[in-house]
Amino acid sequence: MIPAFHAASALCLLGFLLVPSPALATTETDEAETVDELAQSEEQIVVIGVRQSYRGDFAISEIPQSIDVIDAVTLEENNLIRLNDALDLNASVARQNTLGGLWDSFAVRGFAGDENIPTGYLVNGFNGGRGFGGERDTAGIERIEVLKGPAAALLGRGEPGGTVNLVTKQARIGDTFGTFGAQFGSFDRIRSEADVNLAITDGLSARLIGYVENGDTFRDTVEEYRWGFLPSIGLAIGPDTRITYDLEKTRVEVPFDRGIVVLDGDFDTVPRNRYLGEPGDGDHIARAEGHSLRVQHDFNDRWNVLLGGSIRDTLLTGSSSDPELAVSRQPIFRDGRSLSRQRRSRVYDSRQVVVRGEVSGTFMTGPLRHRILIGADHDEFDNLQDFRRVRPPSVSSNPSEQAAYIIDILDPVYGRFPLPVPLPQNNRLDKQKSTGFFVQDQIELTNRLQVRFGARYDDFSLRTENYLTGVDSERKDDRISPQFGVVYEIADPVTFYAAYSEGFRANIGTDAAGRIFDPEISKSIEAGVKLTLMNGALTGTFTVYQLEKDNVLASDINNPGFSVAIGEARSRGVELDVNGRLPGDIHVRLSYAYVDAESRSSVLDPNFSFVIEPGDPLINIPDHSFNVQASKTFRVAGRAAKLGGGVQYVGERLGATGTDFFLPDHTLFRLFGEVELFDDVTLFGTVANLFNADWYANSYSQLWVQPGAPRTATLGFRADF
């Protein structure tokens, strides 16, 4: 592993791999187009910007929806290199169970989606988060858009709480530049990154982006190795047409880690660094390969078309030793130290194919201006899960420690017993196909009043082939999802908006008996005020909302890989997001959320007899959370410098469905800063969890609790050319 790291680092030094430069990473949060618009000299081609899919020609202030943007500068100054860490900056997003740290999982406004597959997100408008490629790295991301609220009438197949869209760095036509960076952090972590944009001809450019990272973690015996190569090629065919190709090639190697155990509510049962798996299991390996191609053509200054397609393959493989959750098989509840474990193996293989197209334009009907968006998309998702396990016997049979696969949580000795051989538990292929058509018209009734009407038609089929039982299941369904919105500019700095939307999403997979679930149906309503102050230097959004959905699923504890229906759920809350610059060149960012997310049905689990009652909170969703930070730029000995800090608070959360086990609240402080050492060379540093607080990122059970990292420091440099 170490030689491979050195070899990949050498590639970075040669310029084949990335990190963004603040001087080159421009961010625009108030425009429908991305920041890649370059006006060049008269002798060169003038290249149009890369437009956002599903957006149309709208400023964010005109959209009847709450949208928070986390730009590349914010990611860079906080040194946020994982998507889950970056999303902590928005209080409406809550961490969920990450499958031992091997996928991204989060809830927006209290709703998380299917617990048995990673949380979905968009990459440049394509569905990109449902596979098993490991936790997403932020390398190559221009900005993260948290699209909160009712958007199903355009996007389709998403959670009603919102969608995360990752806008990646694109090749810049006619420009050549580069950035190389390296950093060294706590727990012997080393990372190198590079970003090289090459102007091959006046109309053709390639941007080569990549990273490699290796090191220990705060968890005993757990090391991690990852790399990624994320190039982009841009081709301008005249002034009105652009073709963009993006490649994603990534790999993660890390042991599977269920975290710590918490007995009788004592979060000091074991130290937070104690690993309770088995090092002999080796690493889980997650890899992804994705290709996307987009064509954009402007017919004139009022009409344009976007066409695109993507293919993404992912594979997750490995074995693990996980604490047994069934009380009847778990001796730790008797002696407080003997933890029985299951041994599991996984082969999760997925492929997603997406094609889409849209036309947007502007026209007049009398005095009314219409901005219309019409499009269609087709999505195919194949999800193969070969899951195997062997469980310890019942405690009542007085099994030996070897038979129960025991580890002493107070004095762990790894490798005591031969590794049990997992037996087939679930070997299933889910094939989902869905086609959608959407239309949206936003009408300017006056200079200050706009209304939006839209609808989406979805047709889907789901087929499940169970290779163990020989039972094949199939379901087809369709639905129309409407949306309505209004935007009213009360005064130049104050805009009121309101929106209503219905959503529709197929529930992939089956229950343990092979039955396909009814699709998830949602209704969303929100209203808010958007502020633009100090000539646009400071913006803010205040929102109230309520979301409801039926046919909600939760993981079947007794049958991993399967789900159980828990009926209806509701989320309602209040949000405040503020972002911008204050006098004195002080950049501020504030996000607060109150979320009341609860079950609305009564459910009795037949295997473990836990009861979900109406009013029970949803797992891992805090009532209150906020994140605030401020930074100031200044000069030291004539050199540019920046210093900043932030605070994150996350309230108490339910830690296991149908129980009274809660994760405690926590408050984390962070510092960051940078200084220009020489021309185009910057030294930077960060300290996360400054006061070394004990905190817990998420949990699934009191025996599967993910502790958060202790104080973590990083020092690095960036060099531009």
Side-chain angles (χ1 to χ4, degrees):
M1 183 180 298
I2 297 298
F5 173 74
H6 288 160
S9 297
L11 288 177
C12 284
L13 288 167
L14 290 172
F16 288 102
L17 301 170
L18 121 63
V19 84
S21 163
L24 299 171
T26 310
T27 302
E28 218 174 283
T29 62
D30 230 355
E31 297 294 333
E33 298 183 359
T34 63
V35 294
D36 200 24
E37 187 169 329
L38 301 176
Q40 301 175 33
S41 66
E42 293 182 0
E43 293 78 14
Q44 294 177 309
I45 296 172
V46 177
V47 183
I48 53 180
V50 181
R51 295 182 182 272
Q52 277 279 53
S53 60
Y54 302 110
R55 176 68 61 82
D57 184 18
F58 295 97
I60 288 180
S61 60
E62 298 179 290
I63 300 174
Q65 181 183 7
S66 176
I67 299 176
D68 185 36
V69 177
I70 304 169
D71 60 32
V73 173
T74 302
L75 296 176
E76 183 179 86
E77 67 186 8
N78 285 274
N79 196 36
L80 299 172
I81 57 178
R82 303 284 187 272
L83 176 60
N84 278 322
D85 293 332
L87 292 175
D88 284 343
L89 293 176
N90 189 278
S92 300
V93 183
R95 294 184 182 231
Q96 299 294 296
N97 176 33
T98 60
L99 191 77
L102 280 157
W103 66 36
D104 297 297
S105 186
F106 51 86
V108 182
R109 290 182 172 176
F111 288 155
D114 194 332
E115 294 178 330
N116 289 313
I117 58 176
T119 299
Y121 54 81
L122 304 177
V123 180
N124 299 319
F126 291 103
N127 284 318
R130 291 199 292 177
F132 307 99
E135 288 186 306
R136 178 88 188 199
D137 199 281
T138 60
I141 292 179
E142 182 66 54
R143 66 181 182 268
I144 300 171
E145 298 179 336
V146 183
L147 311 175
K148 295 182 280 189
L154 279 188
L155 305 177
R157 300 183 292 277
E159 279 297 310
T163 303
V164 170
N165 182 42
L166 309 182
V167 180
T168 63
K169 294 179 181 294
Q170 304 294 308
R172 294 187 179 181
I173 305 296
D175 199 4
T176 296
F177 61 86
T179 302
F180 166 72
Q183 58 182 266
F184 311 89
S186 300
F187 319 113
D188 298 322
R189 184 176 61 86
I190 305 174
R191 179 181 172 96
S192 55
E193 306 170 280
D195 176 1
V196 179
N197 194 91
L198 302 172
I200 300 172
T201 68
D202 287 345
L204 176 65
S205 289
R207 192 165 186 173
L208 308 178
I209 297 171
Y211 63 90
V212 61
E213 180 181 333
N214 185 56
D216 205 348
T217 70
F218 76 97
R219 303 280 292 154
D220 291 342
T221 78
V222 177
E223 297 183 3
E224 184 175 25
Y225 173 67
R226 58 172 56 225
W227 61 263
F229 184 50
L230 307 160
S232 171
I233 297 175
L235 173 64
I237 304 176
D240 300 322
T241 304
R242 170 165 175 150
I243 300 175
T244 304
Y245 166 76
D246 296 316
L247 169 66
E248 173 195 7
K249 187 82 172 177
T250 64
R251 182 181 178 95
V252 178
E253 300 176 15
V254 63
F256 195 92
D257 184 6
R258 287 292 189 189
I260 64 172
V261 301
V262 176
L263 300 181
D264 299 322
D266 180 9
F267 283 83
D268 292 324
T269 300
V270 297
R272 61 183 167 188
N273 64 312
R274 182 150 299 165
Y275 180 60
L276 300 176
E278 194 63 49
D281 287 325
D283 289 336
H284 266 62
I285 297 174
R287 61 179 185 264
E289 181 175 320
H291 307 266
S292 70
L293 184 68
R294 288 166 288 153
V295 180
Q296 171 185 322
H297 176 71
D298 289 351
F299 297 107
N300 49 47
D301 60 356
R302 293 180 296 112
W303 289 91
N304 66 80
V305 62
L306 291 175
L307 302 172
S310 73
I311 299 176
R312 188 172 189 256
D313 293 291
T314 69
L315 179 64
L316 173 69
T317 60
S319 298
S320 65
S321 299
D322 304 353
E324 170 63 53
L325 298 183
V327 175
S328 62
R329 300 172 186 263
Q330 187 51 266
I332 199 170
F333 295 116
R334 296 187 178 186
D335 65 12
R337 64 186 306 162
S338 300
L339 181 70
S340 66
R341 299 173 295 176
Q342 302 180 11
R343 187 153 190 270
R344 302 181 168 199
S345 70
R346 302 168 183 85
V347 178
Y348 293 172
D349 192 357
S350 77
R351 162 167 280 208
Q352 185 159 25
V353 179
V354 182
V355 293
R356 60 173 172 76
E358 64 181 50
V359 176
S360 63
T362 302
F363 64 93
M364 304 292 293
T365 57
L368 303 180
R369 180 190 181 206
H370 298 257
R371 281 180 286 180
I372 195 164
L373 182 65
I374 302 172
D377 51 42
H378 179 76
D379 188 312
E380 297 186 6
F381 181 54
D382 292 351
N383 174 31
L384 173 66
Q385 294 195 9
D386 182 352
F387 173 80
R388 304 178 181 222
R389 71 171 177 176
V390 57
R391 303 183 71 181
S394 170
V395 174
S396 62
S397 66
N398 295 316
S400 66
E401 289 194 348
Q402 179 173 339
Y405 198 28
I406 293 291
I407 188 170
D408 185 345
I409 66 169
L410 303 182
D411 185 21
V413 177
Y414 303 118
R416 288 180 62 197
F417 310 117
L419 297 175
V421 178
L423 302 175
Q425 168 73 19
N426 180 21
N427 190 355
R428 188 184 77 219
L429 175 63
D430 298 316
K431 299 174 69 70
Q432 180 179 343
K433 296 182 180 180
S434 51
T435 301
F437 303 90
F438 57 89
V439 60
Q440 173 187 283
D441 186 11
Q442 186 150 326
I443 308 170
E444 292 185 17
L445 300 179
T446 71
N447 289 336
R448 294 188 179 272
L449 178 62
Q450 302 181 47
V451 293
R452 173 177 288 190
F453 300 93
R456 178 184 175 96
Y457 171 76
D458 277 296
D459 180 271
F460 87 92
S461 65
L462 178 62
R463 178 176 175 82
T464 295
E465 301 172 2
N466 192 317
Y467 300 134
L468 292 183
T469 65
V471 175
D472 294 344
S473 308
E474 191 166 1
R475 183 187 182 101
K476 297 182 179 180
D477 212 333
D478 62 347
R479 184 177 174 86
I480 296 176
S481 302
Q483 79 162 175
F484 170 78
V486 59
V487 179
Y488 179 64
E489 186 179 333
I490 300 172
D492 288 344
V494 182
T495 300
F496 168 81
Y497 78 93
Y500 171 82
S501 177
E502 296 180 8
F504 170 79
R505 184 173 72 90
N507 278 319
I508 197 167
T510 70
D511 63 13
R515 293 183 294 267
I516 295 178
F517 297 99
D518 291 336
E520 185 180 277
I521 301 198
S522 62
K523 296 180 179 180
S524 311
I525 187 169
E526 72 172 87
V529 175
K530 298 185 179 184
L531 302 175
T532 304
L533 306 174
M534 297 186 299
N535 294 319
L538 188 68
T539 61
T541 303
F542 175 79
T543 310
V544 295
Y545 66 87
Q546 178 167 303
L547 318 171
E548 298 177 349
K549 64 178 183 176
D550 297 335
N551 306 322
V552 180
L553 303 185
S555 292
D556 186 339
I557 296 178
N558 201 41
N559 297 284
F562 294 96
S563 300
V564 293
I566 64 172
E568 301 177 0
R570 182 189 69 192
S571 176
R572 53 189 179 185
V574 177
E575 300 167 333
L576 175 64
D577 295 317
V578 178
N579 193 6
R581 291 191 178 275
L582 298 175
D585 203 20
I586 298 175
H587 183 269
V588 295
R589 179 181 179 85
L590 181 148
S591 181
Y592 166 77
Y594 165 73
V595 181
D596 177 18
E598 62 183 29
S599 172
R600 303 297 293 168
S601 302
S602 180
V603 178
L604 172 66
D605 179 82
N607 298 308
F608 290 87
S609 297
F610 66 75
V611 179
I612 301 174
E613 297 285 1
D616 282 357
L618 300 184
I619 189 171
N620 287 310
I621 305 298
D623 286 347
H624 296 275
S625 57
F626 74 81
N627 198 305
V628 60
Q629 73 173 43
S631 63
K632 179 176 175 55
T633 57
F634 52 94
R635 302 191 75 82
V636 176
R639 295 288 183 180
K642 179 187 292 186
L643 184 64
V647 181
Q648 180 193 19
Y649 171 79
V650 177
E652 186 180 67
R653 296 138 289 155
L654 182 68
T657 300
T659 72
D660 58 0
F661 174 63
F662 282 81
L663 300 180
D665 62 354
H666 62 259
T667 303
L668 305 178
F669 294 81
R670 62 187 181 277
L671 290 176
F672 54 87
E674 62 181 48
V675 62
E676 185 183 36
L677 295 179
F678 314 104
D679 291 346
D680 299 323
V681 177
T682 300
L683 178 72
F684 67 89
T686 61
V687 182
N689 192 3
L690 179 64
F691 298 112
N692 202 31
D694 289 331
W695 64 286
Y696 306 91
N698 61 79
S699 73
Y700 183 73
S701 154
Q702 62 179 314
L703 302 183
W704 293 0
V705 178
Q706 289 291 343
R711 182 188 301 113
T712 304
T714 301
L715 185 67
F717 73 91
R718 292 185 298 269
D720 305 330
F721 60 90

